[in-house]
Amino acid sequence: MNQSAERTNFGLVFAIVAVATIGGLLFGYDSGAVNGTQPGLIAAFNLDDAALGFTVGSLLIGCVIGASLAGILADAIGRRAVMRLSAVLFLIGALVQGFAHDHTIFLIARILGGMAVGAASVLSPAYISEVAPASIRGRMTTVQQVMIITGLTAAFLANYYVTAIAGVSTNKIWFDIEAWRWMYLLQSVPAVIFLVALYFIPESPRYLVSKGRNDEALRVLTNLSGPIAAQAKVEEIQASFSHDHRPRLSDVLTPAGGRGFLGVRSIVWVGIMLAVFQQLVGINVIFYYGATLWQAAGFSEQDSLMINIVSGAVSIAACFVTILLIDRIGRKPLLLIGSVGMAASLFVMVYAFSQGGLVDGKLVLSDDTGMLAVVAANVYVIFFNVSWGPVMWVMLGEMFPNQIRGSALAVAGFFQWTANYAIAQAFPIMLATIGLAASYSFYGVCAVISFFLVLRFINETKGKELEAMEG
């Protein structure tokens, strides 16, 4: 074992990861809370299918903005400062969404919350990658996905029990407030915890070096890995940055003599590909519209919410498999396995949905095909959360050279959340026009395409120091 590994303060690393990934929990909770609130949204704001899709998807408009600005702001004011700003936006968004009686105000609050989600989604894994040793970096960054799914599952549990207390989500419970509104208000608790906890973790040493604050970076790295390793790492980080300018957005453009396409570096295009196809396989249809999806397949509201809980629990278990494997077999093999598994299970769902019949304009499945659809959906969720769910975030946090990491994250984050928004906005319309079978056929085809893209364009990053990343 080398000296750096021997001196690593794993307790501090784990504490930093625990705090940073609270952002992932909030990301998951905010994304999942809307799942059970849709009857309340429709009743409160008189929404049709398109308006419901926009209301659900408005969070993702904020995510696009937040993810696009986060990397650039993180290069300007620091990773920790931007995460603190995200925590404040989370808190404001949760409270206003819960209390708003005007649709426009609700949308503004949802966009603000989305900005926090988008910023945290790209910065938490990047921050973890910048403080964790290469030997455990994949496992530590995968904790982000565990926390995202934990947040989703917590939202599903809260939705289920609040609805059980109220009878239906549109009934009033505590303080004469409708149950669906409490599904948003409860987000304020982890938001406050995140904000306070962020004052107890250090700034990223790679950000500090980029700003010429080498003494501060040295102190952080000394606490993480000891004085000898820290000094060597500061010098290594310094060498990885451009000597003529600090990180800036234009760094994503193809340098003279470099490889690129349409004037943008090849490695940035690879990040965009990963970000977009993680969404095109349709995972967030299950997370955002799970209750609507299963009610469309003939299940009751309460049974649909319970299926969401099962999917969340299965997802968490799958992420722990990733933690065991990602630093052993690598990122690329997991992505390939995930693409194959997702494609197969999605097409089983297509078969199940195609066997249903329409009763009063709604799809009704037999008991056997309904159970087949539920099992296939959970197999799909397992494959996603063993592979594309966590691995995409791991790779975005580590695959870019230090000089372009913040800017490349901004670009990849923009495309990731734009694709997320497009899928969320389109699903209610697709459900109403072409049905479940055709909708899931599209997601299945995208999973097949993702396999060949990974095979051709992804390079393994397992075990590489961030200063060794090329592109």
Side-chain angles (χ1 to χ4, degrees):
M1 184 179 291
N2 62 37
Q3 187 176 31
S4 176
E6 290 178 338
R7 298 295 301 272
T8 297
N9 184 343
F10 288 106
L12 178 58
V13 172
F14 296 155
I16 289 170
V17 170
V19 172
T21 54
I22 297 173
L25 185 141
L26 283 165
F27 167 15
Y29 198 106
D30 206 346
S31 299
V34 74
N35 204 308
T37 67
Q38 290 166 38
L41 292 173
I42 292 168
F45 303 124
N46 193 28
L47 306 178
D48 58 19
D49 286 341
L52 175 63
F54 180 77
T55 301
V56 171
S58 61
L59 176 87
L60 305 176
I61 296 174
C63 291
V64 172
I65 299 169
S68 301
L69 295 177
I72 300 167
L73 281 175
D75 280 342
I77 64 174
R79 280 61 165 152
R80 188 177 56 174
V82 178
M83 287 193 287
R84 287 174 182 166
L85 178 60
S86 296
V88 172
L89 291 179
F90 270 126
L91 180 59
I92 294 171
L95 293 175
V96 177
Q97 283 178 90
F99 289 120
H101 288 272
D102 179 86
H103 189 222
T104 300
I105 292 174
F106 180 89
L107 289 174
I108 292 170
R110 191 151 175 78
I111 290 170
L112 288 176
M115 290 172 66
V117 169
S121 71
V122 297
L123 281 189
S124 291
Y127 174 80
I128 293 167
S129 292
E130 291 185 341
V131 298
S135 61
I136 62 168
R137 190 176 61 230
R139 279 170 279 175
M140 292 298 95
T141 311
T142 299
V143 175
Q144 167 81 353
Q145 183 71 9
V146 174
M147 293 293 276
I148 292 171
I149 303 302
T150 300
L152 280 163
T153 306
F156 296 156
L157 281 166
N159 290 358
Y160 180 82
Y161 285 110
V162 167
T163 301
I165 291 167
V168 293
S169 60
T170 50
N171 286 346
K172 294 181 178 180
I173 48 173
W174 310 303
F175 303 104
D176 204 33
I177 297 172
E178 294 96 331
W180 68 269
R181 293 184 180 278
W182 278 106
M183 297 175 189
Y184 292 111
L185 293 172
L186 289 172
Q187 296 176 65
S188 60
V189 176
V192 171
I193 294 171
F194 186 39
L195 179 60
V196 173
L198 283 168
Y199 283 89
F200 294 92
I201 61 173
E203 182 54 85
S204 161
R206 287 169 173 86
Y207 163 76
L208 294 171
V209 172
S210 76
K211 290 296 186 181
R213 294 158 61 181
N214 294 354
D215 290 343
E216 294 175 62
L218 185 62
R219 284 197 295 273
V220 174
L221 288 165
T222 298
N223 289 333
L224 287 168
S225 57
I228 298 175
Q231 184 60 53
K233 179 55 71 174
V234 167
E235 293 171 3
E236 188 180 354
I237 294 171
Q238 277 184 297
S240 70
F241 284 101
S242 172
H243 296 294
D244 62 352
H245 66 272
R246 289 177 177 170
R248 61 193 184 195
L249 184 58
S250 59
D251 289 330
V252 303
L253 302 179
T254 308
R259 291 184 300 170
F261 177 68
L262 297 178
V264 175
R265 293 176 188 245
S266 297
I267 192 66
V268 177
W269 283 111
V270 173
I272 291 170
M273 179 271 290
L274 281 171
V276 169
F277 272 85
Q278 193 213 41
Q279 293 304 308
L280 292 184
V281 298
I283 189 65
N284 281 325
V285 170
I286 288 180
F287 289 145
Y288 295 152
Y289 293 107
T292 301
L293 167 66
W294 297 119
Q295 287 177 68
F299 292 89
S300 69
E301 179 183 34
Q302 202 70 4
D303 286 343
S304 298
L305 292 172
M306 179 56 74
I307 292 170
N308 285 343
I309 294 171
V310 172
S311 295
V314 166
S315 298
I316 294 171
C319 288
F320 281 104
V321 174
T322 312
I323 289 173
L324 292 174
L325 295 177
I326 192 166
D327 286 321
R328 295 182 182 180
I329 71 172
R331 286 62 160 152
K332 185 170 182 175
L334 285 176
L335 289 172
L336 292 171
I337 291 167
S339 293
V340 172
M342 288 189 298
S345 51
L346 281 166
F347 284 117
V348 172
M349 291 177 71
V350 170
Y351 169 78
F353 292 144
S354 69
Q355 300 305 301
L358 291 176
V359 176
D360 297 327
K362 291 188 175 182
L363 178 69
V364 176
L365 304 179
S366 69
D367 289 345
D368 288 343
T369 53
M371 184 55 63
L372 178 63
V374 170
V375 170
N378 281 294
V379 171
Y380 162 65
V381 164
I382 288 171
F383 275 106
F384 178 85
N385 283 293
V386 166
S387 60
W388 281 78
V391 176
M392 188 277 290
W393 293 114
V394 170
M395 293 204 69
L396 288 188
E398 70 184 11
M399 66 189 286
F400 304 115
N402 283 337
Q403 180 69 25
I404 71 167
R405 184 168 298 116
S407 298
L409 279 170
V411 173
F414 170 82
F415 279 93
Q416 204 272 345
W417 287 106
T418 299
N420 194 325
Y421 172 76
I423 292 294
Q425 176 70 50
F427 179 70
I429 300 169
M430 292 170 69
L431 178 62
T433 55
I434 64 175
L436 282 173
S439 298
Y440 272 78
S441 294
F442 171 77
Y443 307 139
V445 169
C446 288
V448 172
I449 293 171
S450 73
F451 176 87
F452 294 101
L453 290 174
V454 169
L455 199 63
R456 172 66 179 84
F457 293 110
I458 295 299
N459 294 319
E460 185 57 70
T461 55
K462 176 175 70 79
K464 293 178 65 175
E465 293 289 344
L466 296 188
E467 285 65 48
M469 300 298 174
E470 299 177 351

